[in-house]
Amino acid sequence: MHFVVTIDNTGETFRCSDESNVLQGMEQLQRKGIPVGCRNGGCGVCKVQVTEGLYTKRKMSRGVISVDEEASGCVLACKIYPQSNLRVEVVGKMARAVLAQKSMSFDFGFATATVINQPDEEK
Amino acid sequence: MAVTGVLRPGHVALRVLELEPAVKHYRDVLGLEEVTRDDKGRVFFKAWDEHDHHSVVLREADEAGMDYMGWKVDSPATLKKLAGDVEQSGLCTDLSWIPAGEHPATGERFRFTIPTGHVMELFAEKGIVGNNCGTDGENTNPNPWPDGMKGIAPSRFDHCLLYGDDLDGTVKLFTEVLGFGLAEQVMAGEDKSFMIGAFLSCSNKAHDVAFIRQPVKGKFHHASFELRSWEQVLRAGDILSRTKTSIDIGPTRHGITRGETIYFFDPSGNRNEVFSGGYIYYPDKPTITWWDVELGPAIFYHDRKLNEAFLSVFT
């Protein structure tokens, strides 16, 4: 069964099977929008806030998703499987890059990287 | 000068989210040998050409990343001396002795936390299980490689790249206390005086451990395993695609160390590398310097630019 995933930040949509995780669904269609990191629940780069819809999930690293975050729908796109249409907002540490990529003006000096990379989960 | 003092990276202990998928990855895809499991549920592996009992340790946890990295030193006397030197340096915290046998077939380990927040260990003794190449007894009339290898089958655990904040403190520890040489450095700032990357060798390898300055503590970028040719790196790429393993980048070449490489992820998002090549390092070899503006080709020599994932994706 397929559902529609909408990325709030950019308005992009893609169809995703309930047997694929949201990141995999996006990558299979050669779509961008959610930053891709390890794809395996460890790095936190694909962190999204689910703003609407139902999903099932698999284990994700506590180093990047706290218990409270997980409970409030702040999860990793690589570890959630849609059970209805979904709306997600990209909030991971490369979120800024999503918009930068969209304007095709992506610049990657080390200093910029350091700023992008401030780990918001380690406050 | 013979290799003395700290000999080599002896083990890396990694946390994985689910044990069995991780075992399948490290055993069947990467192609390490599963040596044993212990009563704490940890799984111990070695690469085929390593003689010591184990070099990779996995345990299931809620958080991915590295627990610690262990270094084999040349003797129990050196272990005692270096433990004293580390303590005297005042650079490390949480110093402790882990009793013999806590890792199977391993002597006592001296454990400490370095300025970048990583936990390191020194040990002198680990049981020898051999590489299974001998035809008339272990190490006698050996074949060049053993039967029954699976997956990519690197010859050894080679090095780690780690991210942390106090790079200066960690480099001081490794060079002034533990006897490493600085093979390569990445320097930033107008007068190129601010170190952002350090590639350190305790041997003839281009690096045994590397650190990149990032505003984090104790983070893990990758554990690397050695292959013997560029062709084997390409074959690794084939195996990773065949097994639908998450690939980060490559096959390509690093400017730093000249190594040929492919980066990929274990099922918990810990980055692995297999690589070949590099040069022979000697303690009197001049340090290679890269400028931050050349960081693109320094890291990925063919793309000539850093991808976002290199700096942002770590566990």
Side-chain angles (χ1 to χ4, degrees), chain A residues 27 35-45 58-65 79 93-98 101 106 108-111 113-119 121-122, chain B residues 16-18 21 60-65 163 188 194 196 212-217 219 245-248 265-270 292 295 306-309 311-315:
Chain A
E27 283 203 285
V36 178
C38 72
R39 302 184 184 87
N40 288 338
C43 77
V45 156
R58 289 187 60 181
K59 192 172 177 181
M60 31 199 131
S61 176
R62 279 285 167 258
V64 293
I65 297 284
K79 289 290 175 181
K93 54 190 165 185
M94 281 168 26
R96 186 184 303 186
V98 176
Q101 272 173 352
F106 187 64
F108 208 82
F110 183 83
T114 307
V115 174
I116 289 174
N117 210 17
Q118 293 286 356
E121 67 276 10
E122 292 187 355
Chain B
V16 297
L17 300 179
E18 295 174 80
E60 189 168 290
D62 286 338
E63 181 175 351
Y163 279 5
F194 183 62
I196 57 174
I212 286 184
R213 189 191 298 269
Q214 286 281 56
V216 292
K217 280 276 184 207
K219 289 298 182 181
T245 301
S246 174
I247 293 178
D248 184 17
F265 295 102
D266 79 7
S268 306
N270 297 308
D292 54 345
L295 196 58
L306 214 50
N307 63 358
E308 286 172 86
L311 288 173
S312 302
V313 177
F314 51 79
T315 54

Side-chain angles (χ1 to χ4, degrees), chain A residues 108-111 113-114, chain B residues 116 161-168 171 182 184-189 192-199 210-215 256 289-296 298-299 306 310-311:
Chain A
F108 208 82
F110 183 83
T114 307
Chain B
T116 40
L161 171 57
L162 305 171
Y163 279 5
D165 52 1
D166 185 2
L167 182 64
D168 308 311
V171 169
L182 183 63
E184 306 201 23
Q185 58 183 349
V186 183
M187 305 299 285
K192 309 296 179 206
S193 65
F194 183 62
M195 188 185 286
I196 57 174
F199 294 72
F211 295 91
I212 286 184
R213 189 191 298 269
Q214 286 281 56
I256 295 172
T289 298
W290 295 85
W291 294 341
D292 54 345
V293 290
E294 291 296 316
L295 196 58
I299 304 290
L306 214 50
F310 185 82
L311 288 173

Side-chain angles (χ1 to χ4, degrees), chain B residues 88-210:
Chain B
Q88 267 208 327
S89 76
L91 290 165
C92 298
T93 55
D94 297 323
L95 282 53
S96 65
W97 285 93
I98 310 297
E102 198 278 335
H103 269 201
T106 305
E108 62 178 349
R109 291 129 64 202
F110 178 66
R111 181 179 284 182
F112 49 101
T113 301
I114 64 174
T116 40
H118 302 92
V119 178
M120 294 284 162
E121 297 180 345
L122 303 173
F123 67 94
E125 294 169 310
K126 197 180 268 184
I128 299 224
V129 297
N131 66 0
N132 206 26
C133 288
T135 60
D136 290 295
E138 194 60 56
N139 303 311
T140 304
N141 306 322
N143 290 309
W145 42 270
D147 273 340
M149 286 190 283
K150 276 189 190 171
I152 296 169
S155 61
R156 65 168 183 245
F157 163 51
D158 191 86
H159 66 267
C160 286
L161 171 57
L162 305 171
Y163 279 5
D165 52 1
D166 185 2
L167 182 64
D168 308 311
T170 283
V171 169
K172 186 176 166 70
L173 173 79
F174 275 87
T175 56
E176 294 179 18
V177 181
L178 297 174
F180 284 56
L182 183 63
E184 306 201 23
Q185 58 183 349
V186 183
M187 305 299 285
E190 273 186 25
D191 59 352
K192 309 296 179 206
S193 65
F194 183 62
M195 188 185 286
I196 57 174
F199 294 72
L200 297 150
S201 177
C202 64
S203 66
N204 272 146
K205 292 152 57 185
H207 59 337
D208 288 291
V209 67

